Amino acid sequence: PEYQPRSRFVVRAAMRYLTGKEIAAKPFTHSRGNLAVGFWCGSFARRETGDLAVALMGMPHVNLKDVSASAMYDGVLDHLDIVVLPSPGKSSCAALAPFASRGVMVYACARTKAARAALRVLPAERVKVFADEKALAAAIGNIPRVCAH
C-alpha cells in the first residue's frame, strides 16, 4: 500500500497505531537557483542507469527526486524542471505527456526503436534525447543554476 497514493492512509494509520505519533511525508522542496530534477526509473536493470543516478546526486546545483507514476498524484511533477527517463516506455511517456505540455522538460536515453517511438507522445519541443547516460548527465551538468520555479 505504501506505493499507491490512494492507500497510503493505511500505512499512516498503522504507524500512528504502533507509535502513537502522526507521520507525514516530507514535502518536496525546491531550493532557489537549483534545478529540480525527477529521476523516473522503474528499476536499475543497467549499470549505466545507476551511474547516471549517482552522477546527478553529486551535482551541487541539482535537487534530485525519485519519481514514478505515483508522483503525479503527490504533486511532485508540478514542481520539476526536468524529468530524466533512462528507459522510456509507452506508459511512462503517456503519464508524462500532460506535464511536458505544461513545461516540464524530459531528458531521455533512447537506445531502441521502441523507446524512440514511445517518446513521440510527448511534445517534441519539450524532449531532449540522448544516446547514452553520460551524454545526458553532461547536458544537465551544463545547465545554468537559474530555474523556472
Side-chain angles (χ1 to χ4, degrees):
E2 67 273 17
Y3 294 113
Q4 301 298 320
R6 66 182 174 272
S7 60
R8 287 192 185 138
F9 74 93
V10 174
V11 175
R12 287 193 299 273
M15 293 302 292
R16 185 176 53 243
Y17 177 79
L18 292 171
T19 66
K21 296 179 182 177
E22 189 68 41
I23 63 166
K26 183 179 175 187
F28 179 69
T29 58
H30 189 173
S31 301
R32 187 168 175 77
N34 287 348
L35 288 169
V37 177
F39 196 85
W40 187 303
C41 180
S43 65
F44 287 85
R46 295 173 34 89
R47 181 184 55 80
E48 292 84 358
T49 302
D51 291 344
L52 173 60
V54 169
L56 294 174
M57 284 188 286
M59 294 181 185
H61 72 295
V62 170
N63 289 346
L64 190 64
K65 177 74 176 164
D66 177 36
V67 295
S68 63
S70 67
M72 292 183 293
Y73 306 106
D74 295 341
V76 172
L77 289 173
D78 293 323
H79 303 285
L80 296 176
D81 298 309
I82 297 170
V83 174
V84 172
L85 273 175
S87 303
K90 286 182 183 181
S91 61
S92 59
C93 291
L96 285 174
F99 297 94
S101 296
R102 291 197 311 253
V104 173
M105 287 295 298
V106 176
Y107 281 44
C109 289
R111 285 176 224 76
T112 66
K113 192 178 194 179
R116 289 187 293 279
L119 289 166
R120 289 191 197 120
V121 302
L122 300 171
E125 68 277 2
R126 307 301 311 161
V127 178
K128 293 192 183 231
V129 180
F130 300 89
D132 60 42
E133 289 83 352
K134 285 184 181 180
L136 192 156
I140 291 177
N142 290 327
I143 296 174
R145 291 179 65 102
V146 178
C147 58
H149 300 286

